[in-house]
Structures are given as structure tokens and as C-alpha cells.
Amino acid sequence: MKDVAAAQKDVSSPGPGQPGRAPAKNMVWVPRGEFLMGSDDFYPEERPAHRVTVDGFWVDEHPVTVAEFRRFVKDTGHVTWAERAPDPDDYPDADPELLVPGSLVFRPTPGRVNLADWSNWWTWAPGAQWRHPEGPGSTVHGRELHPVTHVAYEDAVAYAAWAGKQLPTEAQWERAARGGLEGKVFCWGDEFSPRGRMMANTWQGEFPWQNLLLDRYERTSPVKQFPANGYGLYDMAGNVWEWTSDFFTPRHPDEISHPCCSPQNPRVTSPEDSYDACGPGADIPRRVTKGGSHLCAPNYCLRYRPAARQGEAVDTSTSHIGFRCISA
Ligand SMILES: [Ca+2]
Ligand SMILES: [Ca+2]
Ligand SMILES: [Cu+2]
């Protein structure tokens, strides 16, 4: 825990340019700085590690919870993407029977399955939505402090606008997740469970059938059950994936060789490289999601790391994607 302690000391004195007061409750300041974004040591889409500079910003200390999202819905009458029937014109190849409101729900399998086929564990569940995370009949009663799930990209954007905030860029998200540590594997250092302590809600055991629950949680967990990172942020790793405002690219841009001028506040605003060439949905742009979830396991998806990234189609909602906001 030395790493985290050192980083925490680092931020206890107000950073340069820190405004006096947070613009909203439960937001923390991430100071302007340069950091190493991405990683050369894991999956190809995280490469190459490259230096970027990000201005200071405020960020929610935890993912948006069910209770917070409920306030937004009460106030605005927002109907989420998952609650609306898809328009057949938008999905000409789809089975009309599937064009009903619903969302993707994870179901563990009875035993080992082919890991190349995600339909083994993802089920399209009519009626699944943020109030019914496992489908009709399930509720969020008692889960008010869990991250909201089954939110598509536009739902996250609508919430952020209502709250007077924005979604983070990928660079902002990753800078926040690193907690002031440089080039570390995890948000807290290089060791997955320092002195045996579980640091995030991930999947221990063999995905998608054997969940050993060493972290006590099978699905989402209430926010703030695991230690904060160096900036005082919770649940950056694991629990739920989090939407960012950047379009997905299959790799990062190359490092710029002049050390004087690392890219400032990089963002990806063009959907051009974000499309998934294979499979249905080839014409739906993808945004970057970050941080991994309670379903990430070493044998399948070691993505509970700040550098990890995944492209998610903007029209997709699932039981393991949520979001948090920033204020710049
Ligand atoms: Ca877990
Ligand atoms: Ca997370
Ligand atoms: Cu994963």
C-alpha cells in the first residue's frame, strides 16, 4: 500500500489551479499533469503507451448510483434506451421478435464453454432495464447504492447534462484512475491483491462458470466497498465498465518524439475507426468504456486496469456497464 499512501500525500496539498470548491457533492479534483497513457504489456488495443497531458478537472468519486439515476429520471421523465423498442428501420437485419425493449444480462454457465462465443453467457432479456437488472421480476430494491446499469451511451450523456456535468474523455478517465501513480498495472500499484487484500470487485475463478467470490460480490457491489485510489476515487477498477466520450480506436496514437510537447487533452471525436467490421452492428459507432467490471477474470479478460479499454456500441446496454461524470 506504499504506492497509494505516497500518491495520497502527493494530492493532499492543493494542486496548481485547483478551484476552491467542488461544483457538486462527492467530486474530487484531479490536478493537471502529464502521464503515461495505455500499456505495452497487455492487450493490443492498449498500445502503445504514450505520454499525454490533461488539464485539471473534477470527477465523481464513485460511479453514478441507482439512487442518483432515479432522481434524474423522476426529475426529467427520461426513458432509457433499454426501455424503448428499437426501430426496425434502424435494424433491417434483425429478427422482428427481438425488437422489443430489453437489454443484455449476464448468466453464468453450468460449466466450461467456448470463450470465443460471448452469447454463451450474455442473454438478450426482454424487460431488462436499470430498474430490473436481471430482467422482469428482479428489482433494485436494496441496491440503491450500486452503480446504475443498463444505460446506453445516450442515457449517460442525458444524465450528465441534467447534472450540469460531462462524461470524461478516455484520457481524463485514465488519468483519474491512475491516482497519481505512474505506469502501474493497477489503480493501486503492481500487485493485484497486496497482502491478500481485495482492491476491486472483479471475478475470481474461471469465467464464466466458477465465481469464487473472494471479493464477496457475485454481481455489482455498492460503491465505495473497496479502497480509494490516490485521488480518493472509488470503483475505477471493476464493479462496472464506465462510458467515456471518446470514440473507440483499435490502438492509441504513437508516442510523439518531442518530449516538450505531449498531446494536450487528447480526445477522439471522429467515429471513423470505431466500427466493428465483423458481425451485426457494423454500422453502429463504438465509444470507449474503461475500468473493467465484476465480470473481468484473468482467464478471459484481464481488464480491471487503468490502461484497459473496450469499444462498446453506443446502442448497447448491459448489466455491467455504468458511468461517472466529470466537471471541467
Ligand atoms: Ca466479484
Ligand atoms: Ca468501474
Ligand atoms: Cu472484462
Side-chain angles (χ1 to χ4, degrees):
M1 305 301 294
K2 235 187 310 156
D3 287 341
V4 170
Q8 265 162 355
K9 203 192 277 158
D10 200 41
V11 295
S12 60
S13 53
Q18 172 168 358
R21 270 183 68 224
K25 267 196 324 186
N26 304 323
M27 295 188 90
V28 304
W29 177 250
V30 175
R32 175 186 159 86
E34 189 185 70
F35 75 104
L36 198 57
M37 182 173 177
S39 167
D40 296 323
D41 301 330
F42 293 90
Y43 299 111
E45 70 273 11
E46 300 168 21
R47 293 177 198 157
H50 61 293
R51 308 207 66 82
V52 304
T53 299
V54 172
D55 286 338
F57 60 96
W58 294 96
V59 58
D60 290 347
E61 67 169 8
H62 57 71
V64 172
T65 61
V66 166
E68 290 170 323
F69 198 79
R70 180 184 286 149
R71 276 201 293 280
F72 154 66
V73 167
K74 278 209 172 118
D75 208 41
T76 60
H78 181 84
V79 178
T80 58
W81 184 276
E83 295 170 80
R84 304 196 307 261
D87 183 342
D89 290 344
D90 293 339
Y91 303 89
D93 305 329
D95 177 350
E97 275 184 26
L98 294 179
L99 293 179
V100 295
S103 192
L104 288 168
V105 174
F106 171 80
R107 303 248 158 84
T109 58
R112 286 198 179 97
V113 291
N114 173 12
L115 289 176
D117 181 2
W118 58 260
S119 69
N120 281 322
W121 55 87
W122 284 112
T123 307
W124 169 255
Q129 47 134 305
W130 69 274
R131 298 178 190 83
H132 308 292
E134 290 82 44
S138 68
T139 80
V140 285
H141 186 71
R143 288 190 278 181
E144 287 81 4
L145 295 181
H146 288 228
V148 69
T149 54
H150 298 292
V151 281
Y153 182 74
E154 65 166 40
D155 300 318
V157 169
Y159 177 97
W162 169 79
K165 303 177 185 178
Q166 302 104 50
L167 293 184
T169 64
E170 181 179 5
Q172 286 170 329
W173 196 99
E174 187 166 329
R175 165 113 176 111
R178 290 185 177 281
L181 299 175
E182 178 74 1
K184 298 289 183 189
V185 174
F186 302 108
C187 301
W188 51 86
D190 281 332
E191 220 184 312
F192 174 66
S193 59
R195 282 190 237 119
R197 185 167 188 189
M198 300 307 286
M199 301 295 284
N201 180 2
T202 64
W203 179 299
Q204 305 86 47
E206 207 180 307
F207 184 85
W209 62 280
Q210 176 199 50
N211 196 336
L212 298 176
L213 302 181
L214 300 181
D215 61 18
R216 297 178 294 141
Y217 296 102
E218 183 182 356
R219 297 197 185 96
T220 56
S221 44
V223 298
K224 301 174 73 167
Q225 296 303 297
F226 297 89
N229 77 358
Y231 291 142
L233 297 169
Y234 297 88
D235 296 284
M236 295 301 281
N239 210 353
V240 290
W241 283 96
E242 300 177 22
W243 286 109
T244 74
S245 60
D246 279 9
F247 283 104
F248 183 71
T249 51
R251 73 192 298 275
H252 285 309
D254 287 325
E255 172 83 296
I256 292 186
S257 46
H258 310 289
C260 64
C261 22
S262 64
Q264 307 271 320
N265 304 311
R267 58 197 314 163
V268 180
T269 54
S270 162
E272 211 174 319
D273 297 323
S274 77
Y275 299 99
D276 189 356
C278 28
D283 54 346
I284 312 283
R286 291 184 295 167
R287 303 265 181 176
V288 175
T289 54
K290 292 289 275 183
S293 82
H294 60 282
L295 298 181
C296 292
N299 74 304
Y300 176 62
C301 173
L302 210 159
R303 288 197 171 84
Y304 32 83
R305 294 174 292 105
R309 53 204 298 268
Q310 219 157 37
E312 198 64 64
V314 293
D315 65 347
T316 297
S317 63
T318 79
S319 55
H320 77 152
I321 304 178
F323 66 101
R324 80 179 70 206
C325 301
I326 63 128
S327 191

